[in-house]
Amino acid sequence: MNRRQSLLILGAIAAVPLLRSFGAPQAWAEGVDVDAILRNPDAPEAGNPKGDVTIVTYFDYNCPFCKKSEPDLKKVVRSDGKIRLVYKDWPILTEASVYGAQMALGAKYQGKYQIAHDALMAIPGRGISKDQMRDAVAASGVDMAKLQSDLDTHGDAITALMRRTQSQAEAIGLQGTPVYLVGPYKVAAALDADAFRKVVAQVRGSQGAK
């Protein structure tokens, strides 16, 4: 799928179906372990851990559309205060993307996943090299010696986590980045803050109607 073709007209949210329902949250698709997607203890999280809406973000550090939406996603999570955000490092574009995901997930062992993630997302453009990624993470304040040690020690666990993410993405039919799972819905598009708010409001409205 061409990621440009996945962009949705944000202003049409109220007029046409923006969201593609998985069905009941307990069974999004046959064979999919919903709890493994939403509650994997190894997956980095942000926002409110007890939030009433969960957003799961599948992204690649070389995806310009992921980077375009990132500031708006963070703004909405911060200002809303009741959103739980789950990160799914899904490096599908380049070999450097895999390297970036490994560094970010490795930084989690020193409590600096978010710092590394933010640094990688802030690199402009596409086709970001391994050297650019390493330099950005180093400049962010991550202890690079400890990072290397943690990668040596936990490399197999990090690889296993990314493979689980890949399997989950395939199971629910994801074809490119970015993708946001918002409550029971899938949004395969780069959204701005207003669009994120509208999706979250729709989820809360559907929850209140039950």
Side-chain angles (χ1 to χ4, degrees):
M1 178 182 65
N2 186 313
R3 286 190 303 281
R4 289 187 182 275
Q5 294 174 344
S6 75
L7 290 175
L8 304 178
I9 300 174
L10 303 181
I13 289 176
V16 299
L18 168 66
L19 308 177
R20 187 173 170 191
S21 176
F22 283 132
Q26 294 79 8
W28 285 350
E30 185 178 353
V32 174
D33 185 342
V34 174
D35 197 55
I37 294 175
L38 297 179
R39 303 286 175 186
N40 187 336
D42 296 326
E45 295 187 10
N48 185 342
K50 297 182 179 180
D52 63 344
V53 173
T54 295
I55 297 178
V56 182
T57 171
Y58 286 80
F59 61 91
D60 185 300
Y61 291 118
N62 257 314
C63 168
F65 302 106
C66 301
K67 295 178 182 181
K68 180 180 179 180
S69 284
E70 180 76 6
D72 290 296
L73 175 60
K74 288 176 61 180
K75 177 181 178 180
V76 170
V77 170
R78 182 174 58 252
S79 62
D80 182 280
K82 295 188 292 183
I83 295 173
R84 173 175 165 264
L85 180 62
V86 179
Y87 291 109
K88 297 287 187 176
D89 289 80
W90 190 31
I92 57 174
L93 296 178
T94 71
E95 183 179 346
S97 298
V98 177
Y99 179 70
Q102 289 171 331
M103 284 197 298
L105 293 169
K108 183 174 182 282
Y109 291 93
Q110 57 179 282
K112 294 184 177 179
Y113 172 85
Q114 190 70 58
I115 291 174
H117 172 85
D118 291 347
L120 291 165
M121 279 294 197
I123 304 173
R126 67 180 76 200
I128 308 304
S129 70
K130 291 182 179 180
D131 287 345
Q132 287 174 290
M133 292 187 178
R134 183 178 59 250
D135 291 346
V137 171
S140 73
V142 170
D143 182 331
M144 298 302 284
K146 177 168 175 48
L147 176 59
Q148 186 58 59
S149 176
D150 286 332
L151 288 172
D152 292 340
T153 302
H154 303 290
D156 288 345
I158 291 171
T159 298
L161 175 60
M162 289 195 293
R163 285 177 176 166
R164 290 197 299 275
T165 297
Q166 175 68 28
S167 296
Q168 293 165 2
E170 291 175 352
I172 57 180
L174 306 192
Q175 299 180 30
T177 56
V179 174
Y180 305 100
L181 310 183
V182 189
Y185 301 111
K186 175 173 68 176
V187 184
L191 304 182
D192 64 11
D194 186 54
F196 276 119
R197 292 190 188 99
K198 289 180 179 178
V199 178
V200 169
Q202 184 166 338
V203 172
R204 287 186 175 134
S206 66
Q207 291 173 342
K210 294 179 180 179

